[in-house]
Amino acid sequence: MKSKDIISQEVGAPIPNYTAHAVSVTLPTWEANVGYEEGQEWVVNKMNSGYPRFFIHSWIQELSNLLELSYGKDGERCMIFPTYKIAKSCRKFIKEKTLLSNCNVRILQLSTPSPTQGEDESIRIETNFSVVYFPSSEYPLAKQYWQHAGQGISSRMGEYILSELKPKLLELSEHNSKDLQQKQKAKNKTSRRSSSLRSSSSTATAVTEKEYSTFIEERFGRNLDLRFNKEARIILQKRISTKINEADDNQKNKLSKDDVYLFPSGMASIFNAHQAILLSFPERAAKQKSVCFGFPYVDTLNILKKWGQGVHFYGFGDDDSLLELERKLETGELQILTLVCECPSNPLLKTPDLIKIWELSRFYNFTVVVDETVGNFLNIHVLPYCDILVSSLTKVFSGDSNVMAGSLVLNPSSEHYQILKQTLDEELYEPESFWAEDAIYLERNSRDFESRSSRINENAMAAVKLFQETPLIKNIYYPFLSPTRKHYDALKTPKGGYGGLISIVFANENDARCFFNEVKLSKGPSLGTNFTLCSPYVILAYFQELDEVEKWGIDRNLIRISIGLEDRSELIDTFQKALKVVKEQHDALEE
């Protein structure tokens, strides 16, 4: 893979280049990341792409505008979800959190046409979706649900619906407004550039990207038949269950594909895991809080805070924290519903003592949910030590950075297996929430998951060795170097490595900025991509809470690097060139 085929240094451009459904976006300098967080126009006005839970894709924006004009009432905004059940969940969240004394939230169910006789079923599929309408003042609440729960329609689903319904929606909107242009102008003043969204993507740009995307996808044989979407889902479930089973020949109860659930994003998997526990144990859920063990990705903590009774936060996630938790459980000071953790944690790459946590959970009767996105189930085998295993398939499982997805896996050996499975199957899980075309793309992308994961592990170890030799770097966070390595090694599979995610902290803030600005790699959010991706992670994820997160050992100048598949010597050379510039600048300032 040639870096020049991926890298963009243009603010707001998709990563990879010319990818209409890219899940990352270029923020090429430290200043651009700060500007994005501060809402500075020189950044936000160029944002033509973004991580989909934070940035609503231009096709979804256009579809939302048309649905507001066609079916909306005065002062209403809308959001689009793939099923009625998810739309009801969003409506419930808005009505519970609103400060309005009378907040009218309504749901409209719509569908695209099914193929008629003689039409090509390979490119047309009947698609049902639901639209939640709410007062425009409550848009920030709706956006919170979109971001935290991760269950909004995907950009591919939005593109498909738009292609099928746009003429009808235009006709309806013209009928409902004597002066469509005037109404649209008025809506645009208050619509798409809120502080929480910070986007100004244009349809024209999206069309241009679509042309490039179509060319690239056809060139690589990735325009696949929509009729195969059910088969693609089954293959994905079997691929995941088979790889997990291979990690443990002694596993008593082998994992079935039916224990693997697919969702439209990794956060949707976490959200549904938490919902499954709340619904499965209602009496305890009404009284007991959850535990978040270790410093997690931001929206995991948001889910635990905003649904259920709240959360006890053990942000250090180390052995001392576990001893403190055990003491409180033993004395009865705490009775908890569930414990949620990452393995390893993001961004400090700490591995919790899952074996001990599992023992405590069986004794004190709480469930365990583990997010193994960073480790991935080829490197570590954690299913025996949790009730529910969740992962973002958007990351290394896909690799191509062009599709969002998540998985939820039930442990068939868990004493809570039957009740959790019943809850998921009867009350929560809807296969159609994961859009057909996304399933097809994910199946295609993940065929070489195993070989890619292995190469990423090897590249990452080489990068870590280089950083260890760099005196200007004061901290390197990586499972192999972590004080918690013994816990990681206890979970590591025979062929597993230590993953592709590395976090580094320079001793000097100016050195961190210089390195990030100089390194000639893709720069944007996300991880697990086939190409190396850098981000000033703490600035981007916690800009409003920098002082707070530092209490948990999270340095504001931390740079997170997700290692990719580049030629190893080329990758190391890229890092060395940036480090050389850093040293030259550092020495000049010291003189």
Side-chain angles (χ1 to χ4, degrees):
M1 175 180 293
K2 298 293 185 182
S3 298
K4 62 182 176 61
D5 296 331
I6 300 294
I7 297 172
S8 168
Q9 296 298 315
E10 181 183 348
V11 171
I15 304 176
N17 283 330
Y18 313 125
T19 303
H21 301 284
V23 303
S24 190
V25 60
T26 303
L27 291 168
T29 64
W30 197 281
E31 293 74 19
N33 282 270
V34 173
Y36 173 79
E37 289 299 323
E38 291 181 343
Q40 296 177 19
E41 290 188 0
W42 72 275
V43 180
V44 296
N45 287 350
K46 296 179 181 178
M47 298 298 288
N48 292 314
S49 184
Y51 198 75
R53 287 189 303 101
F54 295 87
F55 178 98
I56 297 182
H57 196 282
S58 57
W59 284 321
I60 300 176
Q61 291 184 31
E62 181 180 0
L63 179 60
S64 298
N65 274 325
L66 287 172
L67 288 167
E68 289 166 6
L69 289 164
S70 299
Y71 299 107
K73 299 177 181 178
D74 286 344
E76 282 188 332
R77 297 286 301 278
C78 78
M79 280 198 169
I80 313 165
F81 297 95
T83 72
Y84 180 59
K85 189 176 291 185
I86 295 172
K88 287 197 297 180
S89 179
C90 177
R91 177 176 63 186
K92 181 181 179 183
F93 179 77
I94 294 172
K95 292 183 78 68
E96 286 179 349
K97 303 296 183 182
T98 184
L99 298 178
L100 297 179
S101 57
N102 183 21
C103 182
N104 181 33
V105 184
R106 59 193 184 89
I107 299 172
L108 176 66
Q109 298 181 74
L110 296 169
S111 64
T112 64
S114 58
T116 59
Q117 188 173 6
E119 284 189 316
D120 189 351
E121 294 182 0
S122 68
I123 60 172
R124 172 167 277 188
I125 182 172
E126 182 178 3
T127 305
N128 300 309
F129 62 100
S130 293
V131 189
V132 179
Y133 289 90
F134 45 83
S136 58
S137 62
E138 305 313 286
Y139 183 82
L141 281 179
K143 183 60 170 54
Q144 283 184 39
Y145 186 88
W146 179 282
Q147 175 183 324
H148 302 332
Q151 298 184 113
I153 63 167
S154 73
S155 55
R156 281 193 181 86
M157 187 173 182
E159 177 190 17
Y160 180 82
I161 295 171
L162 196 60
S163 69
E164 291 288 295
L165 296 184
K166 186 173 181 177
K168 177 182 177 181
L169 292 175
L170 282 172
E171 183 180 344
L172 278 171
S173 62
E174 290 171 359
H175 176 76
N176 292 340
S177 173
K178 293 181 180 180
D179 190 346
L180 178 61
Q181 290 183 342
Q182 182 177 350
K183 186 174 181 180
Q184 183 68 66
K185 184 177 180 181
K187 288 176 66 61
N188 284 343
K189 289 181 180 179
T190 59
S191 62
R192 299 301 165 196
R193 198 184 300 157
S194 69
S195 60
S196 61
L197 180 59
R198 295 195 294 270
S199 74
S200 58
S201 180
S202 67
T203 303
T205 301
V207 171
T208 302
E209 288 181 346
K210 178 174 171 56
E211 291 172 355
Y212 280 109
S213 176
T214 301
F215 167 74
I216 290 170
E217 289 166 357
E218 287 180 349
R219 177 185 173 191
F220 290 100
R222 290 178 177 167
N223 274 351
L224 304 182
D225 195 322
L226 280 176
R227 289 173 295 187
F228 297 147
N229 78 88
K230 291 182 180 179
E231 289 83 352
R233 296 171 202 268
I234 293 171
I235 291 170
L236 288 166
Q237 290 172 301
K238 287 183 176 179
R239 185 167 295 155
I240 293 169
S241 60
T242 298
K243 292 304 179 184
I244 293 177
N245 282 331
E246 287 176 356
D248 187 359
D249 292 334
N250 298 320
Q251 188 174 330
K252 293 180 181 179
N253 298 315
K254 288 294 184 180
L255 194 63
S256 160
K257 72 172 181 64
D258 295 325
D259 296 325
V260 178
Y261 299 82
L262 301 175
F263 289 95
S265 70
M267 288 315 303
S269 298
I270 295 171
F271 179 79
N272 279 277
H274 188 48
Q275 289 294 308
I277 292 166
L278 293 174
L279 293 171
S280 295
F281 309 102
E283 291 185 5
R284 291 173 53 206
K287 302 174 183 177
Q288 297 174 354
K289 293 184 178 182
S290 301
V291 162
C292 182
F293 192 78
F295 196 91
Y297 178 69
V298 57
D299 282 317
T300 299
L301 193 55
N302 279 324
I303 286 171
L304 299 178
K305 285 179 178 178
K306 296 180 182 182
W307 284 268
Q309 294 303 307
V311 61
H312 302 288
F313 184 38
Y314 287 78
F316 290 115
D318 54 15
D319 289 351
D320 288 341
S321 299
L322 191 54
L323 284 172
E324 181 187 350
L325 174 61
E326 182 179 10
R327 180 187 61 79
K328 290 185 176 181
L329 290 169
E330 185 178 3
T331 61
E333 184 178 346
L334 280 186
Q335 291 182 328
I336 62 173
L337 176 67
T338 188
L339 182 147
V340 179
C341 64
E342 297 175 348
C343 188
S345 65
N346 176 13
L348 296 186
L349 288 306
K350 292 181 180 179
T351 304
D353 186 352
L354 277 184
I355 296 174
K356 179 66 174 179
I357 288 172
W358 183 244
E359 291 174 355
L360 291 175
S361 74
R362 299 309 89 175
F363 191 81
Y364 292 104
N365 192 31
F366 60 86
T367 54
V368 178
V369 178
V370 177
D371 178 356
E372 52 78 86
T373 298
V374 173
N376 95 55
F377 47 76
L378 292 178
N379 289 324
I380 52 176
H381 185 48
V382 303
L383 187 63
Y385 309 109
C386 62
D387 298 283
I388 303 178
L389 179 67
V390 293
S391 185
S392 173
L393 303 179
T394 308
K395 310 304 191 299
V396 69
F397 186 79
S398 170
D400 275 346
S401 189
N402 65 357
V403 62
M404 295 280 286
S407 62
L408 182 159
V409 180
L410 290 179
N411 179 358
S413 298
S414 163
E415 64 192 68
H416 303 303
Y417 171 78
Q418 291 297 338
I419 182 62
L420 290 170
K421 185 162 183 60
Q422 181 179 350
T423 301
L424 279 163
D425 290 344
E426 296 180 5
E427 299 187 53
L428 286 175
Y429 188 55
E430 300 172 291
E432 63 272 21
S433 70
F434 183 37
W435 168 237
E437 196 176 4
D438 291 323
I440 292 170
Y441 272 79
L442 183 63
E443 190 282 316
R444 182 83 180 200
N445 291 355
S446 61
R447 291 177 187 177
D448 60 350
F449 169 44
E450 191 166 4
S451 62
R452 287 188 291 104
S453 178
S454 177
R455 184 170 172 183
I456 286 170
N457 290 340
E458 294 169 359
N459 281 355
M461 286 296 284
V464 165
K465 182 178 179 181
L466 172 65
F467 296 144
Q468 284 182 292
E469 297 169 352
T470 305
L472 296 177
I473 295 175
K474 70 174 182 179
N475 286 317
I476 304 169
Y477 298 103
Y478 189 63
F480 182 78
L481 302 178
S482 174
T484 63
R485 177 182 168 181
K486 61 182 179 180
H487 301 318
Y488 188 100
D489 285 346
L491 306 168
K492 193 161 77 72
T493 62
K495 296 181 180 179
Y498 293 90
L501 198 64
I502 307 166
S503 295
I504 59 174
V505 178
F506 284 83
N508 183 291
E509 178 182 342
N510 290 329
D511 292 346
R513 292 175 180 243
C514 179
F515 175 81
F516 184 79
N517 290 345
E518 289 295 329
V519 70
K520 304 305 180 188
L521 293 166
S522 294
K523 302 172 192 177
S526 197
L527 59 94
T529 48
N530 291 339
F531 46 89
T532 299
L533 187 62
C534 299
S535 171
Y537 176 77
V538 182
I539 293 293
L540 202 56
Y542 297 101
F543 190 73
Q544 304 299 330
E545 306 161 285
L546 294 176
D547 292 336
E548 177 63 27
V549 300
E550 283 190 338
K551 297 176 184 177
W552 302 104
I554 312 293
D555 193 296
R556 66 184 64 201
N557 297 308
L558 179 147
I559 296 172
R560 195 182 71 175
I561 303 171
S562 175
I563 299 294
L565 299 174
E566 294 90 350
D567 176 83
R568 196 167 308 146
S569 60
E570 176 187 327
L571 181 62
I572 297 302
D573 183 61
T574 300
F575 285 133
Q576 286 175 328
K577 287 177 179 177
L579 289 169
K580 181 181 178 182
V581 175
V582 173
K583 188 175 187 309
E584 290 172 351
Q585 176 183 281
H586 181 91
D587 291 346
L589 291 174
E590 290 287 303
E591 292 178 358

